[in-house]
Amino acid sequence: MFAFVLGFILLTSGLWMQTTAEYMIGDCNLTYFISYGQKCQRQMITNLATNPSTNCSAEYQDEKECLRDHVAVCLGREYHGHINLVANLLLYQLYHCGNVEYKHNAIYGIVLKSIQCQREAFMDTEICWSYFRERLNANRTDPMLCREYAIAKKCMAEKAKANCQICDRLRRDTFNPFCPNDTDPWLQVNDCEHKFVASFLGNTRPDCRSVEVAFKRCLDKRFLTFCPDYARKQRLKDDIQKAVTSFLRGRRFFCSQDINFRTIDLDIKVRPLFPCNSQFLPEMEKCALPLRDAYRLTQNITAAQLCRHFKTAVNCSNDVQATNCKPLVTFLRTP
């Protein structure tokens, strides 16, 4: 029974365990239990991405049936009474239509204690999914869905890791039907961006120069993984960083307004990283300026005020990218 309760949490948030140990979930080994269970959410998301005649409600019903059927096969007769419990708990973290809310009970409390998780892993998941869902409902061909689905999954993964001790051994599923090659874009680069922005949202105001140095070191480490020429050619290195930071928000939002260049001036290998017209950079600067000024000039700005400025700047920059850039097709993809 312990192996079963240990394992079913691993399906959530697009995560799976990195371990050589082989647990059995009823009649299924852990690898099969997780990989096949993930197909239920993958199929729902794929259908929403590719089939304009379907809708979320219909796909969610199929996702629930798929998951329950899979859990039933694995648990078999011995754990037949736990099928709905396991499936329902998993559904709190899988993608849904916005009307799923975690309701704690004594049985869930016992299960969560067994798998060393806090109930917060399953609560308020709407925070992660809402922005992606809004864009999906508005336009299923929106090129920003590639990025927003990746961010939503990352949010869910971080939520699981923060509230479940076993989740520090997990890594994220990169399947994304809204992106080229069905793969999340730039996840490793986004980690650098996340650290950069987080450094400005604390109680102290860091020096931009020191934070930018750390940011560039982080980029260097990530790019060396999948670009062999990155370390050998200084111009290529400079141009990649230039193109990437034009999309990433942190440096522009908090530090610099000098992110400006012409596509024709980039190395020919780097140009696919910047599929935007000449209006993109000046329009991005218009989005960033109010936030940057508020952060620099207002010493007593509250966290709530900064949050509002930041949200406005993010929404503005998303619209600018959607309007002025083609869907990003890049050779810098997470393996």
Side-chain angles (χ1 to χ4, degrees), residues 8-246:
F8 75 76
I9 185 67
L10 306 181
L11 235 173
T12 62
S13 306
L15 299 169
W16 67 94
M17 180 172 282
Q18 301 179 95
T19 177
T20 56
E22 186 72 309
Y23 295 100
M24 295 300 294
I25 314 300
D27 296 329
C28 301
N29 63 43
L30 184 61
T31 301
Y32 177 80
F33 180 76
I34 295 170
S35 62
Y36 192 94
Q38 283 182 336
K39 289 183 179 180
C40 299
Q41 176 170 290
R42 287 186 174 193
Q43 190 60 55
M44 176 183 183
I45 294 296
T46 299
N47 289 346
L48 290 173
T50 60
N51 183 359
S53 65
T54 192
N55 59 67
C56 188
S57 296
E59 293 301 328
Y60 185 63
Q61 290 301 316
D62 289 345
E63 180 186 51
K64 289 196 295 184
E65 292 178 10
C66 172
L67 188 60
R68 285 197 172 96
D69 289 346
H70 170 56
V71 171
V73 168
C74 288
L75 297 191
R77 293 182 179 179
E78 184 177 0
Y79 301 120
H80 185 270
H82 300 288
I83 291 172
N84 286 335
L85 170 67
V86 175
N88 288 340
L89 194 54
L90 289 174
L91 285 168
Y92 285 122
Q93 283 208 340
L94 299 184
Y95 183 70
H96 53 81
C97 303
N99 54 357
V100 175
E101 182 179 355
Y102 177 80
K103 296 180 180 179
H104 191 69
N105 58 51
I107 298 177
Y108 282 166
I110 295 173
V111 173
L112 294 178
K113 184 177 181 179
S114 299
I115 59 176
Q116 299 178 313
C117 285
Q118 302 296 319
R119 69 179 72 178
E120 285 77 11
F122 300 91
M123 296 172 60
D124 302 323
T125 58
E126 180 63 15
I127 294 173
C128 295
W129 291 120
S130 60
Y131 194 74
F132 162 71
R133 185 184 298 108
E134 288 175 8
R135 298 194 78 99
L136 179 66
N137 290 343
N139 180 7
R140 295 189 194 179
T141 63
D142 185 346
M144 290 297 292
L145 289 172
C146 170
R147 172 186 171 92
E148 297 306 330
Y149 184 52
I151 291 174
K153 289 191 299 174
K154 179 178 174 63
C155 175
M156 293 298 295
E158 290 179 346
K159 191 173 182 62
K161 288 185 177 183
N163 293 288
C164 295
Q165 292 185 24
I166 63 171
C167 289
D168 59 2
R169 293 177 288 173
L170 307 178
R171 61 188 176 96
R172 189 162 56 252
D173 176 21
T174 61
F175 174 75
N176 190 332
F178 302 99
C179 298
N181 292 346
D182 294 337
T183 303
D184 282 341
W186 292 11
L187 284 178
Q188 296 187 36
V189 175
N190 283 339
D191 287 340
C192 299
E193 168 81 343
H194 178 77
K195 294 176 183 177
F196 186 99
V197 172
S199 65
F200 288 91
L201 300 181
N203 295 324
T204 60
R205 296 196 173 200
D207 174 66
C208 275
R209 181 175 298 179
S210 62
V211 178
E212 286 187 359
V213 169
F215 175 64
K216 289 182 178 180
R217 287 175 180 169
C218 183
L219 289 182
D220 286 345
K221 184 178 180 180
R222 301 304 190 269
F223 288 141
L224 284 171
T225 303
F226 39 76
C227 184
D229 288 338
Y230 183 77
R232 297 194 294 266
K233 298 181 179 180
Q234 186 62 42
R235 184 194 170 188
L236 183 66
K237 176 179 178 179
D238 292 342
D239 284 357
I240 288 176
Q241 289 198 359
K242 190 182 299 182
V244 168
T245 53
S246 71

